[in-house]
Each structure stands twice: as C-alpha cells, then as structure tokens.
Amino acid sequence: MEKSLVCITVYSNKFWKIKAQGNFFIVSYGRIGTHGSVNTKEFPSEELCLKEANKLVESKLKKGYRESERQVDEIEDSGMTDDQFWEMLDTAHRKGEDLEEQLEWLIGRLAKKPVHDIIRFDSHFNRYYYKSYTSDLWAAAYIVMGGCSGDSFDYFRAWLLFLGKTAYEDAIRNPESIIPYLQKLDEDVPEFEDFLYCASMAFEEKTDLDQEEYLNLHWRLSGDDYKQPDLDFGWDEEDEEGLCRKFPQLWQLYGRTPLR
C-alpha cells in the first residue's frame, strides 16, 4: 500500500507520504519542494502494519490533506548525485590537515543535508566500495602492509575511496598507482576505518538516532542489495616471487619493509 497526500492552503504547503511493505511502513513528510523528513515503524505482522498505515491515512484526510495527482519524489530524485559525492570528498581534503579533520568536516557538512541525501551518499559509497573488492587490490594491500586480513582489506578500501575519484579509478585499473599516496603516509598504514561509518555518523548528528536506526532506514529506502563476490585469488601469500612478479614496484618498496 502506498499513498501520497498533500495539504495546500493559504497557510500550508505540505506533503505526506506513506509506503507499507511487509511488516513495516515508511513515512515521508515536509514542505513541498523539499525532501523533508523520513520515519519508519515496524510491526509484529503485515496485517497490523497495514491497519495502522490506513489509520494514519484516514487521520491525515480528516485534517485536510488530499490525495496527490503525482507521487512525491523518491530517494532516486535525491540531490546527492554521483558528481556531488566525489566533489564532497575533494572539498573535505581541503578542510583539514589530516584524515580525521577532513572526515569531521565531511560528517558535519553531510549532517546539514536532508536524510535522503545522506542515504544517497551512502549508496554511492557502497557502490564504489564493493567494486574495489578485487583480488589485485587485496594483493597490493598485502604487500604494502606485510599481510592483510579481511577487516584490514575493508579499511584499506575505505582509505582508497577517500583519496578521491581519480586515485580510486586509477587504482582499480592499476594498483601500483597508489604508490605516491603511500609515500605521503610517513609511518601510518593505508587504512581508514572511520570512513565506513561516515553516513551513519552524519545521520546521528542530524537526528540523534543511533546507527541501528540508520541502517534500518538505509536498507529500506535505498534498496541497496550489494553482496561481496567470492574472490578467485590470482596470488598466493606464500609465493613471494609470484607477488614480486605481479607488482614489482610495490614489492621493491614494501616487500621487505612493509608499512605495518
């Protein structure tokens, strides 16, 4: 069940929309022309969810709302485009001396945007993040850090993505292209775990709701269904000669003296 209502009078210009699916519903509301706010509620059964959703619709109609001739914009119409995602990362690099300061600015800036934009930002992040789950990048991270667990590879990919569009796309094509960025790390390792939680931290700052609430809302609104593939590793961690042949420049710099 899905209903889009509007209340347009001399004193009001608001929309209200409800979408019931399974045992939960999503409510969007606010001033027409904006993305407004979003809430969700879960119920013990699909029947109870639909009953409560219809009660809310009836209540709104009694208050002067009427059915809209068109659907209120969904998250796909969010203002957070792919280009804006990368532009925000580029701007963050100029807003701090280190990764922590840059991320702090990014979270604060994102928290000022509508919830739809925060979720769309996270959708862009997830799409690129999952694309970086490759055997070659894992081999490169293994060489650079002298070993790389699954968690470490997650944090490495977050670091890579935070570098920006050019660095990210170059690394997908050729992992050895990250060498100039590695050389700027001093004694640090190429990991940035906190970037994984950027959107949920912005959501919490905006709404005072926790990460669990954010994740529930994100998966329900975004429709993201990314699954990491089973990797067919083209390298063996015990085969140093093979790793050297695969990425000779990385091996020369870090094979014997890894960053970790």
Side-chain angles (χ1 to χ4, degrees):
M1 186 273 280
E2 186 171 359
K3 291 286 186 180
S4 290
L5 308 180
V6 293
C7 184
I8 303 174
T9 68
V10 175
Y11 306 103
S12 180
N13 188 39
K14 298 182 292 185
F15 71 86
W16 185 87
K17 175 179 178 180
I18 190 167
K19 182 177 183 180
Q21 48 190 68
N23 67 331
F24 68 89
F25 61 60
I26 303 166
V27 173
S28 305
Y29 59 95
R31 181 170 55 82
I32 292 175
T34 71
H35 291 292
S37 300
V38 182
N39 288 323
T40 66
K41 190 171 183 179
E42 190 169 346
F43 297 87
S45 68
E46 184 173 343
E47 292 75 17
L48 183 57
C49 174
L50 189 58
K51 179 181 178 181
E52 292 299 315
N54 283 321
K55 284 173 62 177
L56 286 176
V57 171
E58 184 177 349
S59 174
K60 287 295 180 182
L61 291 173
K62 288 180 179 178
K63 292 179 180 179
Y65 281 77
R66 59 178 174 79
E67 290 200 40
S68 174
E69 294 180 357
R70 66 180 183 85
Q71 296 294 310
V72 177
D73 293 342
E74 296 278 3
I75 186 175
E76 286 77 14
D77 296 320
S78 162
M80 181 59 62
T81 65
D82 190 76
D83 286 341
Q84 287 175 324
F85 169 82
W86 290 115
E87 287 169 6
M88 287 189 72
L89 295 189
D90 289 343
T91 304
H93 297 158
R94 302 191 294 270
K95 296 295 183 176
E97 296 296 325
D98 54 35
L99 293 180
E100 287 70 25
E101 289 183 359
Q102 293 165 11
L103 182 63
E104 182 179 357
W105 177 88
L106 182 59
I107 292 170
R109 184 70 184 89
L110 199 54
K112 292 181 173 64
K113 292 185 173 292
V115 170
H116 290 82
D117 280 3
I118 296 175
I119 292 174
R120 177 53 63 191
F121 178 95
D122 213 10
S123 291
H124 291 310
F125 173 91
N126 287 335
R127 179 160 47 88
Y128 289 112
Y129 182 68
Y130 282 99
K131 186 179 177 181
S132 67
Y133 190 74
T134 70
S135 173
D136 280 355
L137 279 174
W138 202 327
Y142 185 92
I143 294 171
V144 170
M145 293 183 282
C148 186
S149 66
D151 286 346
S152 182
F153 187 45
D154 289 343
Y155 309 152
F156 170 81
R157 289 153 58 214
W159 169 81
L160 174 62
L161 189 47
F162 194 75
L163 292 177
K165 184 176 183 179
T166 298
Y168 167 84
E169 291 181 343
D170 287 348
I172 295 293
R173 290 189 292 268
N174 173 24
E176 290 195 312
S177 67
I178 65 172
I179 289 175
Y181 303 98
L182 295 171
Q183 293 174 330
K184 297 177 182 178
L185 290 175
D186 296 324
E187 297 181 358
D188 294 332
V189 293
E191 295 180 349
F192 197 14
E193 179 183 1
D194 287 348
F195 187 36
L196 295 172
Y197 318 114
C198 175
S200 63
M201 288 189 285
F203 177 80
E204 182 175 358
E205 183 174 319
K206 182 179 185 67
T207 65
D208 289 328
L209 298 175
D210 61 21
Q211 185 181 37
E212 183 177 355
E213 292 281 354
Y214 170 73
L215 291 175
N216 287 336
L217 184 62
H218 171 84
W219 296 119
R220 289 171 179 176
L221 284 180
S222 68
D224 290 348
D225 189 26
Y226 299 112
K227 295 180 181 178
Q228 290 185 160
D230 293 328
L231 282 188
D232 181 15
F233 283 94
W235 53 280
D236 183 345
E237 61 187 49
E238 302 295 334
D239 182 10
E240 293 188 352
E241 291 185 2
L243 287 170
C244 179
R245 289 194 300 271
K246 190 173 187 66
F247 295 124
Q249 296 179 62
L250 284 172
W251 185 264
Q252 182 179 4
L253 290 169
Y254 304 107
R256 300 301 180 190
T257 56
L259 292 179
R260 196 186 300 278

